[in-house]
Amino acid sequence: MDLSALGNDIERVVVSEEQIQNRLKELAAQVNKDYEGRDLILVGVLKGAIMAMADFSRHLQRHVDMDWMAVSSYGAGTKSSGVVRILKDLDSDILGREVLIVEDILDTGLTLSWLTENLLSRGAKSVSVLTVLRKPDAATVKVEAKYVGFDIPSEFVVGYGLDFNQKYRNLPFIGVLAKHLYS
Ligand code: 5GP
């Protein structure tokens, strides 16, 4: 779905389709190098990371296991609730495995710090994080994303897996949602 089909729903494009793809390719090259000769399992966080998992994993030049978790930290609005719940757990046992969490966005970091701790407590050998986007608030929490696509301003964005009330996930770019739609 492109801008012309969206009316005035998108205030502006923050990261274009081309920028996303180029950056994911760069991050995949880095991951290829960092995990050379090592085990690797990607854990995608549903539903926001679907696009990033699909594109990033295809840029990797190696075998990789892929699994998914669904957690909830946001309700139907645009504010973080701070409550993390597992809606769908992993199918795999990650005891002794090297895990790379693939996330759409790091905002307050609540979700990722909780998830990292949770996976480590299951005996993972290592847990690292790849996030497509990072907002400024992420600097105030203790979550280190080893692989970051883009640093963006603190605005509510949609597209490339990110939704507003389950819409806009299928945009190939990331944009700021027009305020009139939620304020
Ligand atoms: P955190 O726990 O880091 O505050 O939030 C992480 C989750 O909140 C993300 O996985 C995402 O689902 C949601 N989130 C945070 N910021 C945004 C945003 O700008 N747009 C959308 N659509 N979701 C967001």
Side-chain angles (χ1 to χ4, degrees):
M1 191 180 192
D2 57 35
L3 268 180
S4 60
L6 285 158
N8 60 357
D9 289 9
I10 300 297
E11 206 171 277
R12 65 173 205 285
V13 173
V14 181
V15 191
S16 72
E17 180 175 4
E18 195 186 354
Q19 286 173 311
I20 296 171
Q21 295 306 328
N22 288 340
R23 186 71 185 122
L24 288 182
K25 217 180 227 175
E26 287 174 2
L27 293 176
Q30 218 176 311
V31 170
N32 281 326
K33 222 167 112 206
D34 293 352
Y35 288 86
E36 200 180 341
R38 287 162 62 189
D39 162 60
L40 182 60
I41 176 167
L42 302 182
V43 171
V45 186
L46 292 169
K47 303 172 188 166
I50 42 171
M51 306 296 177
M53 272 285 265
D55 289 339
F56 168 74
S57 63
R58 284 180 293 178
H59 289 310
L60 289 173
Q61 301 299 327
R62 56 164 293 150
H63 290 297
V64 76
D65 290 11
M66 293 164 77
D67 206 340
W68 300 90
M69 273 183 88
V71 296
S72 142
S73 66
Y74 263 43
T78 62
K79 290 252 155 59
S80 185
S81 68
V83 179
V84 180
R85 277 190 307 142
I86 295 182
L87 305 176
K88 185 231 168 277
D89 209 342
L90 295 174
D91 295 328
S92 336
D93 182 359
I94 54 163
L95 181 68
R97 312 261 344 241
E98 308 229 39
V99 177
L100 179 59
I101 300 174
V102 177
E103 233 315 16
D104 48 4
I105 191 164
L106 181 52
D107 183 9
T108 65
L110 281 169
T111 311
L112 277 176
S113 61
W114 183 89
L115 201 54
T116 302
E117 285 308 313
N118 182 280
L119 299 185
L120 282 171
S121 75
R122 301 180 196 199
K125 183 173 173 192
S126 71
V127 178
S128 297
V129 170
L130 178 151
T131 181
V132 179
L133 303 171
R134 181 169 63 185
K135 285 185 175 178
D137 279 353
T140 62
V141 283
K142 266 189 23 221
V143 182
E144 225 203 291
K146 190 165 178 198
Y147 307 99
V148 178
F150 303 90
D151 280 301
I152 61 162
S154 199
E155 288 172 290
F156 191 78
V157 292
V158 293
Y160 199 67
L162 287 160
D163 75 310
F164 175 64
N165 288 345
Q166 301 304 324
K167 287 204 197 82
Y168 307 102
R169 292 193 200 275
N170 61 327
L171 313 186
F173 56 86
I174 291 155
V176 174
L177 189 66
K179 309 262 180 319
H180 70 85
L181 290 169
Y182 63 87
S183 58

